[in-house]
Amino acid sequence: MDTQFFYDLLGENACLYTCGTLVVLWILVWLYRDSLEIEGIPDKYVFVTGCDSGFGNLLCRKLDRRGFHVLAGCLTEKGADDLKRAVGPNLKTVLLNVTNEESIQKAMEWAKKEVGEKGLWGIVNNAGSSLPMGPSEWMKVEDFQRTLKVNMNGVIAMTMAFLPLIKKARGRIVNVASVLGRVAANGGGYCISKFAVEGFSDCLRRDLHYFGINVCIIEPGFFKTAVTSLDPLERELHRLWNQLSPEVKATYGDKYLDKYIKVQRLIMNAVCDSDLSKVTNCMEHALTAAHPRSRYSAGWDAKLLWIPLSYMPACVVDIGLKLVLPRPSKCA
Ligand SMILES: *[C@@H]1O[C@H](CO)[C@@H](O)[C@H](O)[C@H]1NC(C)=O
């Protein structure tokens, strides 16, 4: 059969048909490869941080049901007790404060005993905090650092402490970033910390793949969790406002804070998704797929708004935010 035969058969659109077929084949192969799963889940241990509530809490329940040995790091006794009661005897909890080197070391020693010779199949760096968020000028350096300590230093410190256990199992590191690690839409430490998680995770993946270790980044859109809870965010905005000098306050004007809070409520209520399983499904895939992806975006707002925005020129987001957010009263 020569090419002339195909041309006769398909007509002048031969090239189009061939390309189309190749694309469809590529998608089918990709979907098949993406659906392959690992074996031996009942022998594997996974450590999750930030399990008191939100994604971490739900993930522990799901991983337990899948048959993993789940080691859950909780910040509070109450969080740990509630989770243990809800899940059952297979799941084990440990008190963990990711901003405290000693606490991390203790949790690691405990996990090392639990996993024994098997090593640790997965660590999910999920613990995070969003407080405070607000206009950049309102922040003191400590305000930035408060978020960075948890979301950036915490992820780095946990990863470095647990890496020997992961290496032993040729396991997985799953880091929770955010769409705000792709588009910096908010002042304060949160976006900075999530950009840091993206960079740290990309470096890790490129450095560790030689050892059979996979590094996955989860990029959730806006979900109803403690991170997007309005009460603490608004309380912090009031605190930030109150720490401003009268001169700075005057440049924003009396009404600015109220307007800002109103816009934030409107946005959060409109976009926050309460189906946290969209995120935990991504985490589960990262831990159970034979070929985990480098990045997972979770939620419609992530897929349709934030990730596409992240590929656009900066001025698109600049203009969008300018249209949405209030204006300080004394602009140049
Ligand atoms: C976590 O550890 C830091 C640093 O030691 C400490 O300042 C903070 O109060 C701790 N947080 C909790 C909730 O225990």
Side-chain angles (χ1 to χ4, degrees):
M1 269 190 276
D2 59 353
T3 39
Q4 191 55 46
F5 172 80
F6 284 106
Y7 274 106
D8 293 343
L9 192 69
L10 303 171
E12 56 200 26
N13 289 330
C15 187
L16 200 69
Y17 288 130
T18 315
C19 289
T21 310
L22 285 177
V23 168
V24 170
L25 270 179
W26 187 83
I27 291 173
L28 288 176
V29 169
W30 188 91
L31 286 173
Y32 171 70
R33 188 175 181 273
D34 193 61
S35 71
L36 296 175
E37 291 203 342
I38 56 164
E39 284 170 5
I41 286 179
D43 290 328
K44 295 192 190 311
Y45 288 81
V46 176
F47 192 104
V48 185
T49 72
C51 302
D52 304 69
S53 66
F55 305 138
N57 192 280
L58 181 61
L59 179 66
C60 286
R61 298 158 192 250
K62 294 205 155 196
L63 293 179
D64 182 76
R65 241 174 280 151
R66 289 289 293 262
F68 279 107
H69 296 275
V70 181
L71 309 175
C74 296
L75 183 61
T76 64
E77 298 259 11
K78 181 175 183 318
D81 289 344
D82 289 350
L83 181 59
K84 246 186 299 190
R85 215 169 304 125
V87 174
N90 258 337
L91 173 136
K92 294 192 173 147
T93 60
V94 65
L95 280 185
L96 172 67
N97 175 346
V98 299
T99 65
N100 186 319
E101 197 54 51
E102 206 178 304
S103 171
I104 292 177
Q105 203 55 35
K106 261 188 172 158
M108 191 278 285
E109 295 294 343
W110 171 80
K112 191 174 176 181
K113 281 209 194 84
E114 289 291 327
V115 304
E117 281 310 301
K118 293 208 170 84
L120 186 62
W121 171 252
I123 180 163
V124 182
N125 283 308
N126 162 74
S129 156
S130 60
L131 300 175
M133 265 188 187
S136 298
E137 192 186 5
W138 298 12
M139 304 282 160
K140 293 193 170 165
V141 175
E142 305 90 81
D143 293 320
F144 287 101
Q145 276 165 353
R146 203 166 120 207
T147 324
L148 291 173
K149 264 187 208 157
V150 182
N151 297 4
M152 180 177 79
N153 298 17
V155 170
I156 297 174
M158 279 298 295
T159 305
M160 299 326 284
F162 281 72
L163 190 52
L165 306 185
I166 297 279
K167 206 166 170 182
K168 198 166 195 173
R170 297 171 68 82
R172 312 242 162 121
I173 298 168
V174 181
N175 290 337
V176 180
S178 165
V179 289
L180 294 181
R182 300 288 295 270
V183 178
N186 228 313
Y190 193 79
C191 292
I192 304 174
S193 71
K194 293 304 186 181
F195 272 76
V197 169
E198 298 267 347
F200 175 61
S201 307
D202 277 336
C203 293
L204 271 181
R205 187 179 58 257
R206 288 158 191 161
D207 290 342
L208 293 176
H209 73 92
Y210 301 103
F211 305 105
I213 297 174
N214 286 293
V215 181
C216 306
I217 305 169
I218 312 286
E219 297 169 340
F222 283 59
F223 284 87
K224 279 204 170 65
T225 66
V227 160
T228 54
S229 175
L230 283 171
D231 278 348
L233 282 171
E234 291 176 9
R235 216 177 308 129
E236 281 296 307
L237 276 170
H238 279 283
R239 183 185 65 78
L240 295 173
W241 175 257
N242 290 333
Q243 77 183 6
L244 293 179
S245 69
E247 293 78 33
V248 177
K249 276 184 185 167
T251 61
Y252 285 87
D254 296 336
K255 303 211 174 65
Y256 188 89
L257 177 62
D258 282 342
K259 280 192 213 155
Y260 191 94
I261 286 177
K262 262 195 204 120
V263 170
Q264 191 175 57
R265 276 188 204 164
L266 216 70
I267 294 176
M268 291 297 200
N269 289 331
V271 299
C272 279
D273 190 333
S274 54
D275 181 9
L276 306 191
S277 68
K278 284 179 188 154
V279 176
T280 57
N281 287 344
C282 295
M283 295 163 163
E284 248 183 280
H285 188 276
L287 292 166
T288 59
H291 306 283
R293 305 177 209 161
S294 299
R295 279 189 164 71
Y296 294 84
S297 55
W300 291 113
D301 62 326
K303 290 184 206 301
L304 298 179
L305 177 70
W306 299 105
I307 301 299
L309 273 180
S310 73
Y311 292 105
M312 290 187 190
C315 66
V316 175
V317 179
D318 292 357
I319 294 168
L321 286 176
K322 199 169 167 181
L323 289 173
V324 172
L325 291 174
R327 273 170 86 80
S329 66
K330 288 191 187 142
C331 306

